[in-house]
Structure formats: C-alpha cells, structure tokens
C-alpha cells in the first residue's frame, strides 16, 4: 500500500481517526506489514509482543486456555492491554493466514500519551468503549433532528401590544388570539414578555389593578432565537435558562412568533404525540384501529432520529397499553369491567415488544364471579387484536383460551401446580405470567396473584435453580467468525436477548421484584447489590445493542415485505456493529456463568 492508502485504511478504524495529521504520519513511518501462517501463536502470557497489530486480511482467535474468547478480522486490532500493562492471561493464535500492520510498541504507547481520545478508548472499561463505539456508529442517525432549524417546527403567532397598553386590554387581545403569551413592544426593537405564570405572581398574588400599563410587570428583554438557528440550540437555551418559551426573530430583529418548549420536544417525537392523541380521541373500534396502524411509523420515526431502543419500547408499550385499555372498554360491558383484570404478559408485559410479533394476554376474574359470561367478549378481544395487526400467539396464550381466562382462585391453583410439578411448559407459563402487567380493569386482582406467587416460592431453592437453568437453553457464540464466513444469520433473541431476560427474570423472581421491564429490573438489582455496578452497566449496554440490531433487522424486513423473525444478517453489519455484537456476546456468556454460580445450576441434573 502507498502512504496515502495506509492513511486511508487507518483513518477508517476507530480510534485512529482521532490522531492529528502529524501523529498519523508518525504512526505510519513506524509501521510495517507482516505475514503469519495459520496456526502461528502471536501472543501468550509468556510471550508479550513488541507490536500493536492491525489486520489487513485473515483471522486471529484470542484464547483463554482452550476457550475462544474473541475473534479478530479485517480492520480489527489487538492487543493494547498486553502492551500497556506488560502482561496478559490470554493467547492469540492465527486462525486463517494473516496479513497485518505492526505498529511499534514505543510508538503506540507514545500516541496514547499524546492523544487523549486515543488513550481513553484503550484505557476505558468495556462500558465506556461501548458508548464510544455506539456514539460513532449512530451519531449520523440523529442528523434529522440535529440539522432541523427553528423554522421547521411550530411557531405561535405573537400577540404584540405597545407600551402603555392597559393590562386588561392586553389580556383581552391575547384571549382573542387564543394565546397565553403577551409580547410588549419596547424601544429600539426591544420586546418584553408576559406569561400566565407572571400574571398569577405579579397581579393576582400581589392584588394589583388590571388597569396598570403592561410594562410594569413585563420581563425585558424576552430571550429569543433566530428563525434560521438550529432547533437543538433553541432547546439548549430553554433547558439552560429553565424557561418554557422563547421569542423567534428574523435577521432584522423583528419578532415573528413564540417557540414553546413542548413544540420542540414534539418535533423530536412528533408522531408519538399524533398517535397518542388519536388513541385518546378514538370513539369507535374503527377509529382505534386507524390509530394503532400508525404505531409502526412511530417506531420508524423514533428509530431514525436516534432514540434509544429501550425508550422506543417504553413509548410503544405505553401506546399499546392505551389501545388495550380502549378495546377492553369498547367490548366488555361496563358492569363486567370492574370484576376482572385484563393483563398482558411476556414481552408485552415487559414493554419490550416494539414490532407486533404476537400477543400474550389473559383475563383474571374476581372470585365468585361467573367466568363464562366473559368468554364471548374475550373471543371478540382476540379477534379485534388480530384485526388491529397483533398476530395470534402460536402457543394460544390469549384471553380467548379458557386456560388464560379464569378466577383468581383458579390461577392460584395453577401457579401451585407449576411449582410443585415443574416441567418445561410449566416453567415457560410461570415465566410468561411473572412478566404480566395489568392494562385494564381491577389491578388489585393481579397484585393479589403476584403476592401469592412470591409466598409460594419462599425457600424453593431447587425450583429456582431449574427455573434459572433456562438461561442456558441456547448457546451464545464466543466469536462471530463462523457466522461471518459461513452462516449469514444469527438469532439474536435466542443467543443474546433471551439469556439476559431469563437470567434477570430469575433474579427478580427470587428477590420478589414487581417491576416487569428488564432494564428497570437490572437497575433495581444493582441498587439491591445483587448485581455489581460494572455487571449491571455491561448488561444494560449489551441488552441495548442486541435489541437495536434486532429492531434494525425487523424494520428492514418490514420494508422488504419479508416475514419478521429475530435473525440478523451479519453480512449487513458494519465493523463497529460487529464489534458491538461480539462484545455483547462476551457479556452474555459471562452473565451465564454468574447465573450458574448464583443459582448453583451445576449442582442439579
């Protein structure tokens, strides 16, 4: 490669793009190309290298004893730790003939000393590396928000009055213009502002006369932004000054309107606001269906604007809850609604189903109430949800199934059977039910059942060990090499998401945690010291990465008209995404070991 090619190659690898021009040139001058055949050992605890390796072609595996911990491919680099600390517990072996750049150890360490960004990447812990990589990968997705201008959002027409105007006349003018903000024109194009809160404080509480001139209570000058300012700059000003509105002026300083904080936030998630309003205002099932059909567009909008996946799932979960509540209200007779509780379970109960993949729901009926009178309405609810685009559950975990529509007492008998006669189906039913969340009706019925469940599991260590063992059901790859070279797809739900969900669910069940979402469960377990800070932080990062990649794959399949599943095409991933996936798998495998140790799974058959 020419010097230009070498520079272009390194500049595409994080964090080398952070080097200055001079530092990059210095690095290249002390860099050579090397070749190693398959099977050669590059690094061992007894053999610390004198170079930092950057792969041009080939594959290297990192081992701890006989276990593959990580694989390194094109544009990957290793091993900073052995150079920085002068030791390593692992070995690095060429898996596929290797061509690489070798950067001299002294030069590498010199760059770390002279460039803070370069140093921080290699010295940071895994969580910070995650954040650095994610910021680099997904910053461009924020561009639609970051480049939006003030003129791109809603501006409220100003109610402008002159100095000397009586306050009561100004209030009358603002009411005619349907605005709560009065702008007072001063001298030299200076403007003041009167808001509702100012009227309460300066007039009502002080008992002042409404015939006073407006300038006596107006605040001068009104903080303002220009029409062509970036919207995030306006938001920064609103937050910094702790105010709810600013004036908007043109290049001549003339006031054009008022920008409200709520409108800036709505611009960021405008589709959410629209859908929420449509759900609230729906008068019929037809209206509600039209509103629910826009949920996918809401997901696309939020994802495109870079909103974190756990925030998206939370928002969509709240909207879905409102849809369920309205369906229950429209279909179930009013006199029956108060004697039952409609619940969602599984991923819906955890607020983690973003794209409609299936429905898991049930009905809990008050003891002494005839369940049979609910059955036709439950069938109608299932049919309505299917019509709304919520696919039926393959396992028939739906309110139309009599098994999932019964009294509190019958559910208590069922949970007792799940615990006393455990098998895989019972473990699954218990797991799904534990994630249940009340969406309509009498929520105390579900609280009663959860209390009963916790009491039954007291001192059931063997049962909890078998329950937690499900965390290990699916293998999690320690490397993505095979997937990158042979198999194109990874089921990220089975290999990554499920182990985290089930492991955290097991810990939460043992600790009697009522929260259902995985992210909040992790945070609570950290506060309870069940999880160490670093473990919790790593799990949160890995969970977000895995779900982000899964959502991206879901949206692509929707766009292509393909059936939605949980497989991610690894050939479609960029280098940074692949690095994030590999690190996520590493965290999941470590978590599996933690669960095995915590529940003593190795002691059971």
């Amino acid at each position: 490669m020419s010097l230009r090619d070498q520079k272009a190659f390194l500049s595409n690898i994080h964090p080398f793009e952070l080097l200055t021009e001079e530092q990059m040139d210095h690095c290249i001058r002390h860099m050579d190309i090397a070749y190693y055949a398959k099977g050669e050992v590059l690094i061992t605890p007894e053999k610390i290298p004198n170079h930092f390796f950057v792969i041009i072609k080939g594959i290297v595996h990192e081992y701890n004893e006989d276990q593959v911990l990580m694989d390194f491919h094109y544009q990957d680099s290793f091993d900073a730790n052995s150079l920085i600390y002068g030791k390593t517990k692992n070995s690095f072996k060429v898996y596929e003939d290797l061509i690489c750049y070798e950067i001299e150890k002294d030069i590498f360490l010199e760059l770390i000393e002279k460039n803070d960004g370069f140093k921080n990447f290699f010295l940071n812990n895994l969580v910070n590396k995650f954040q650095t990589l994610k910021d680099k990968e997904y910053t461009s997705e924020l561009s639609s928000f970051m480049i939006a201008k003030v003129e791109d959002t809603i501006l409220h027409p100003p109610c402008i009055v002159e100095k000397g105007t009586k306050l009561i006349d100004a209030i009358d003018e603002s009411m005619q213009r349907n605005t709560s903000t009065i702008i007072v024109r001063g001298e030299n194009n200076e403007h003041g502002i009167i808001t509702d809160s100012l009227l309460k404080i300066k007039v009502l509480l002080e008992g002042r006369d409404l015939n006073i001139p407006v300038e006596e209570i107006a605040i001068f000058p009104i903080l303002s932004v220009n029409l062509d300012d970036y919207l995030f700059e306006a938001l920064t000003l609103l937050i910094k000054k702790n105010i709810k509105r600013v004036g908007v002026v043109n290049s001549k300083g003339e006031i054009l309107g008022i920008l409200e904080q709520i409108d800036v936030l709505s611009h960021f998630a405008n589709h959410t606001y629209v859908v929420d309003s449509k759900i609230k205002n729906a008068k019929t099932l037809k209206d509600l269906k039209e509103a629910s059909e826009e949920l996918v567009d809401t997901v696309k909008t939020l994802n495109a604007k870079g909103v974190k996946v756990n925030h998206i799932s939370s928002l969509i979960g709240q909207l879905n809850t409102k849809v369920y509540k309205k369906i229950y209200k429209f279909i179930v007779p009013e006199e029956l609604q108060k004697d039952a509780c409609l619940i969602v379970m599984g991923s819906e109960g955890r607020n983690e189903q973003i794209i409609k993949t299936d429905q898991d729901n049930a009905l809990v009926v008050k003891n002494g109430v005839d369940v049979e009178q609910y059955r036709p309405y439950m069938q109608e609810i299932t049919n309505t949800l299917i019509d709304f685009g919520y696919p039926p559950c393959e396992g028939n975990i739906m309110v139309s199934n009599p098994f999932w529509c019964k009294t509190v007492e019958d559910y208590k008998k069922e949970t007792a059977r799940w615990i006393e006669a455990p098998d895989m189906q019972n473990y699954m039913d218990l797991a799904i039910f534990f994630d249940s969340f009340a969406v309509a009706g009498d929520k105390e019925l579900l609280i009663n059942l959860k209390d009963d469940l916790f009491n039954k599991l007291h001192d059931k260590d063997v049962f909890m060990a078998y329950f937690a063992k499900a965390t290990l059901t699916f293998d999690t790859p320690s490397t993505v090499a095979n997937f990158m070279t042979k198999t194109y797809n990874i089921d990220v739900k089975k290999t990554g998401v499920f182990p985290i969900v089930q492991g955290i669910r097991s810990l939460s069940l043992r600790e009697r945690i009522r929260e259902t979402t995985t992210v909040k469960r992790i945070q609570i377990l950290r506060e309870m010291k069940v999880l160490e800070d670093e473990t919790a932080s790593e799990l949160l990062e890995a969970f977000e990465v895995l779900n982000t990649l899964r959502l991206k794959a879901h949206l692509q399949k929707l766009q292509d008209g393909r059936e939605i599943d949980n497989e991610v095409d690894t050939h479609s991933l960029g280098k940074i995404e692949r690095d994030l996936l590999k690190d996520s798998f590493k965290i999941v495998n470590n978590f599996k070991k933690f669960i095995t140790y915590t529940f003593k799974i190795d002691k059971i058959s």
Side-chain angles (χ1 to χ4, degrees), residues 479-522:
T479 168
V480 297
N482 292 337
F483 298 107
M484 292 299 294
T485 57
K486 298 177 182 178
T487 305
Y488 290 76
N489 297 304
I490 303 176
D491 188 322
V492 293
K493 180 179 180 180
K494 288 182 178 179
T495 57
V497 174
F498 175 78
I500 295 176
V501 168
Q502 178 61 19
I504 293 299
R505 178 162 47 204
S506 302
L507 292 168
S508 300
L509 186 58
R510 188 189 69 176
E511 301 298 330
R512 303 168 71 101
I513 294 172
R514 294 181 181 276
E515 176 58 55
T516 59
T517 64
T518 302
V519 167
K520 290 181 180 178
R521 282 173 171 173
I522 291 173

Side-chain angles (χ1 to χ4, degrees), residues 123 192 195 364 440 512:
L123 293 184
T195 64
V364 182
R512 303 168 71 101

Side-chain angles (χ1 to χ4, degrees), residues 435-503:
D435 289 343
S436 58
F437 177 80
V439 294
D442 185 358
K443 298 180 181 180
E444 287 297 322
L445 300 178
L446 180 60
I447 293 173
N448 185 332
L449 282 175
K450 289 282 184 81
D451 285 341
D452 177 71
L453 178 60
F454 287 140
N455 291 334
K456 285 172 179 171
L457 287 171
H458 181 65
D459 290 334
K460 296 286 186 180
D461 292 345
V462 174
F463 173 86
M464 286 305 308
Y466 278 104
F467 184 79
K469 187 178 179 182
T471 305
L472 315 178
T473 301
F474 305 107
D475 290 335
T476 301
S478 57
T479 168
V480 297
N482 292 337
F483 298 107
M484 292 299 294
T485 57
K486 298 177 182 178
T487 305
Y488 290 76
N489 297 304
I490 303 176
D491 188 322
V492 293
K493 180 179 180 180
K494 288 182 178 179
T495 57
V497 174
F498 175 78
I500 295 176
V501 168
Q502 178 61 19

Side-chain angles (χ1 to χ4, degrees), residues 19 47 104 117 125 163 165 181 226 237 267-268 326 440 458 470 475 481 493 504 510 521 575:
L19 298 177
K47 180 184 175 184
E104 294 176 16
N125 61 28
K163 267 188 176 183
T165 303
T181 305
N226 290 314
L237 178 63
H267 182 91
F268 183 59
K326 281 256 182 176
H458 181 65
D475 290 335
K493 180 179 180 180
I504 293 299
R510 188 189 69 176
R521 282 173 171 173
K575 180 185 180 299

Side-chain angles (χ1 to χ4, degrees), residues 159 161 165 167 170-171 174 180-184 192-199 203 213-220 222 245:
C159 171
V161 299
T165 303
L167 181 58
I171 294 173
S174 70
S180 60
T181 305
I182 299 168
I183 303 300
V184 179
I193 186 171
I194 300 173
T195 64
D196 277 354
S197 59
L198 196 63
L199 286 172
V203 179
V214 288
E215 62 268 24
E216 284 196 21
I217 66 167
I219 296 176
F220 285 90
I222 180 175
R245 58 190 61 83

